[in-house]
Amino acid sequence: MKNNGIVIFGGTGDLAYRKLFPALYNLFCLGKLPRDYRIVGIGRRDYSQEDYKNIVRDWMKDFSRLKYTESDFNEFKELIHYYEMDMSKEEDYNGLIDFLNNQGIIKSELIYYYAVSPQLFLPITNGLKKVQCCTGKTKVIIEKPFGENIESAEKVYDSLREYFKDENIYHIDHYLGKEMIINIMTLRFENAIFSGVWNKDFIEKVEINAYESVGVDSRGGYYDKSGALADMVQNHLFQIMSIVAMEKPEDSSSYMIKEAQGEVFKSLKPIISENIDENLVMGQYKGYREEEKVNSDSTTETYVSLKVEIDNDRWRGVPFILRTGKKLHTRESEVVISFKSMSKNAGGNSIIIKIQPDEGVKLDFNIKKPGTENQIEKVGMDFCQSCILENRENTPEAYERLLYACMESDRSLFSQWNHIELSWNYINNIIDSYKKYSNKLYMYEQGTKGPKEAL
Ligand code: BG6
């Protein structure tokens, strides 16, 4: 079921410029976008078609994975259109349809991409409904966070389902398109040395870290209403956790994989409200309140460390510690699996799955230090996948992979509604307990590892 183009609501936003256009440009350069494909960016700004194409050009120079060339871009820009409208006003959608018709773009064969803050999801769906854009072919991609809490997520989902077919709704979680996250299953299930010890008898704890050195930049308006728990933990980190923790799926179909992940969400042990401080630490970087479009007395968290437990036979008693934050000392995402020690003389092994910026796997183990009788030291085997030039050149960016998968109607790398529902329920309970029993927000210096109180 091929689509003939994509409409990007939020076509003048950060996501469109940094991720979506580079992904589309790279697909185009690789010959994976038909020459008659159409890309319509939608925004409120008063740009001419030429202005918009020139802005996209500048971003491609900075953000394209493949080398930018003038000749490729000159062909690519023929695919691009810009339409100015207020996405929150239903009456503006008639104009959009006239515009699409005038360009010869078939409205029902498009992918509609909601690259906007969650408050606009409902108005956009209502606007599209009003002008009857949808047939069985029309697809919609919505960006996380899906809603602002479980109630608004349900509303958004219900309204989408009234209009779009279930199998045409794509919930994007771009971490699921990252090379090393896709690789976790192979690593776990295709290696006897890992697969046999992937449980509570051998593993002491699991840490999933996504550190960012950037702040909120121009996204203060969105971020201040969201915060790190909803922006990163409820989706990206929970998805990684579910892949690290799931049972081996019965087969490799996307359905079975999603089912196996879903079981992990169902087994999350509720956190006892009164003990919330033992399981959750929230922080905010100093200077956050002075950021553009952020409330001057904001209590939004820009750092979270959260300890959860999966209450099943494989994992009972093993803490999973999830950490993420902005304006930290480094940009680095990784999964660290720490094994129990075999004796009091040596520390346990660890496996580090490096997600970004380096991609690879590191295994630490104990040996006898050469020349000594029994002194033990830790050594590492380090496989850096992204250090191999050929791998780097051939590895698509997450958005490239995901947009292409949507065009091909491949849903395996997308998040699905029951995961979103289960994870929102869990996170909402945590937020309620935090508000009732804690409300502590630790300030941290920019460029550090976050609050010293962190788990
Ligand atoms: C997005 C969050 O989903 O992921 C951003 O909204 C965050 O706040 C970004 O910066 C991180 O993505 P990546 O791919 O740079 O780790």
Side-chain angles (χ1 to χ4, degrees):
M1 196 170 54
K2 298 275 183 198
N3 303 94
N4 65 359
I6 184 165
V7 170
I8 304 174
F9 291 103
T12 55
D14 224 50
L15 182 71
Y17 291 143
R18 282 178 199 267
K19 304 281 189 189
L20 303 181
F21 272 106
L24 291 163
Y25 175 64
N26 289 335
L27 288 172
F28 178 80
C29 295
L30 294 170
K32 290 182 165 179
L33 270 197
R35 300 274 134 170
D36 58 352
Y37 203 75
R38 291 288 167 257
I39 304 168
V40 184
I42 294 191
R44 283 179 180 224
R45 293 183 206 170
D46 174 21
Y47 290 143
S48 70
Q49 300 298 325
E50 245 0 81
D51 291 342
Y52 189 61
K53 292 180 188 192
N54 285 335
I55 295 169
V56 173
R57 178 198 306 272
D58 290 344
W59 286 85
M60 291 316 94
K61 287 182 185 165
D62 288 343
F63 290 100
S64 169
R65 174 177 72 85
L66 300 173
K67 197 171 162 357
Y68 169 88
T69 70
E70 209 59 30
S71 61
D72 282 339
F73 189 81
N74 284 340
E75 284 184 45
F76 177 66
K77 75 175 189 188
E78 296 304 314
L79 277 51
I80 303 176
H81 303 267
Y82 179 69
Y83 185 70
E84 180 196 340
M85 67 180 272
D86 182 344
M87 293 166 260
S88 64
K89 287 200 184 135
E90 272 187 34
E91 58 273 23
D92 276 21
Y93 285 78
N94 287 321
L96 170 63
I97 297 309
D98 291 343
F99 177 78
L100 295 177
N101 286 338
N102 290 340
Q103 307 302 323
I105 302 173
I106 305 170
K107 64 179 183 184
S108 57
E109 292 186 4
L110 293 169
I111 298 174
Y112 292 92
Y113 197 121
Y114 295 16
V116 288
S117 57
Q119 296 91 319
L120 281 169
F121 289 180
L122 269 177
I124 293 176
T125 308
N126 290 337
L128 292 176
K129 261 185 216 170
K130 188 172 167 252
V131 291
Q132 299 180 342
C133 279
C134 175
T135 63
K137 266 191 171 185
T138 322
K139 292 176 187 160
V140 58
I141 304 184
I142 68 168
E143 263 295 329
K144 48 121 305 261
F146 313 111
E148 291 161 302
N149 49 39
I150 180 67
E151 289 83 23
S152 63
E154 267 164 0
K155 261 196 200 152
V156 168
Y157 186 58
D158 289 346
S159 83
L160 284 170
R161 279 178 46 164
E162 268 175 32
Y163 194 52
F164 295 98
K165 283 174 127 184
D166 240 3
E167 67 265 27
N168 289 343
I169 303 173
Y170 290 78
H171 298 100
I172 206 164
D173 182 318
H174 77 281
Y175 269 55
L176 293 177
K178 290 189 190 274
E179 183 63 36
M180 282 311 293
I181 293 178
I182 298 173
N183 218 327
I184 292 175
M185 282 180 56
T186 311
L187 196 74
R188 279 192 61 190
F189 300 126
E190 302 300 334
N191 293 296
I193 53 163
F194 297 145
S195 162
V197 293
W198 212 263
N199 59 53
K200 65 179 187 312
D201 299 335
F202 296 92
I203 293 178
E204 189 165 87
K205 68 173 172 189
V206 176
E207 292 156 282
I208 301 174
N209 302 324
Y211 299 138
E212 292 190 272
S213 48
V214 291
V216 291
D217 297 331
S218 58
R219 299 167 69 230
Y222 147 74
Y223 193 88
D224 207 34
K225 291 198 191 73
S226 159
L229 262 177
D231 185 53
M232 293 288 290
V233 179
Q234 181 266 340
N235 32 72
H236 302 327
L237 299 197
F238 267 32
Q239 284 292 332
I240 302 177
M241 174 183 72
S242 66
I243 300 171
V244 170
M246 71 185 179
E247 296 304 311
K248 186 171 182 178
E250 280 175 34
D251 59 45
S252 58
S253 66
S254 125
Y255 175 78
M256 282 303 175
I257 296 171
K258 301 289 169 198
E259 284 292 294
Q261 283 179 262
E263 287 306 313
V264 174
F265 293 119
K266 287 183 200 154
S267 307
L268 278 170
K269 187 171 171 181
I271 291 175
I272 299 170
S273 303
E274 289 82 348
N275 297 349
I276 190 74
D277 282 341
E278 291 167 22
N279 294 283
L280 176 72
V281 171
M282 308 259 253
Q284 189 187 78
Y285 64 80
K286 292 187 183 165
Y288 170 72
R289 292 172 187 174
E290 282 86 61
E291 298 276 20
E292 202 188 317
K293 298 198 194 133
V294 165
N295 263 332
S296 54
D297 54 358
S298 169
T299 53
T300 299
E301 76 286 359
T302 60
Y303 180 94
V304 176
S305 56
L306 170 69
K307 183 160 68 177
V308 301
E309 199 184 312
I310 297 161
D311 197 11
N312 63 18
D313 288 347
R314 181 181 292 276
W315 294 113
R316 196 160 295 118
V318 179
F320 279 68
I321 302 168
L322 279 42
R323 303 187 187 94
T324 186
K326 294 210 182 277
K327 287 271 182 197
L328 297 179
H329 58 303
T330 182
R331 174 180 186 251
E332 191 172 68
S333 300
E334 60 184 17
V335 179
V336 183
I337 315 280
S338 301
F339 289 83
K340 295 180 176 172
S341 352
M342 299 297 289
S343 74
K344 61 180 180 341
N345 304 327
N349 304 122
S350 58
I351 299 171
I352 304 177
I353 305 170
K354 296 181 197 171
I355 298 166
Q356 62 186 26
D358 294 339
E359 292 172 358
V361 182
K362 184 164 181 251
L363 171 64
D364 285 340
F365 55 97
N366 299 306
I367 58 152
K368 181 183 78 62
K369 191 169 179 184
T372 68
E373 290 236 326
N374 55 8
Q375 211 177 317
I376 295 176
E377 71 174 359
K378 190 141 269 157
V379 290
M381 284 182 182
D382 201 348
F383 166 61
C384 175
Q385 172 164 293
S386 53
C387 299
I388 303 166
L389 184 65
E390 195 190 331
N391 287 348
R392 223 169 36 230
E393 284 175 347
N394 292 336
T395 305
E397 284 283 340
Y399 275 96
E400 210 175 307
R401 202 189 303 260
L402 294 170
L403 280 172
Y404 188 67
C406 176
M407 291 169 197
E408 294 289 302
S409 306
D410 169 5
R411 302 175 58 79
S412 60
L413 298 177
F414 290 84
S415 184
Q416 67 175 40
W417 171 247
N418 74 325
H419 296 180
I420 296 167
E421 193 177 27
L422 289 162
S423 55
W424 259 134
N425 270 324
Y426 192 80
I427 291 291
N428 281 166
N429 285 337
I430 289 179
I431 294 174
D432 290 346
S433 308
Y434 171 78
K435 285 191 181 146
K436 195 158 170 210
Y437 292 99
S438 171
N439 256 327
K440 291 181 191 135
L441 185 70
Y442 299 98
M443 296 303 181
Y444 60 95
E445 297 290 342
Q446 297 187 16
T448 63
K449 289 186 165 183
K452 57 182 184 326
E453 294 77 5
L455 300 166

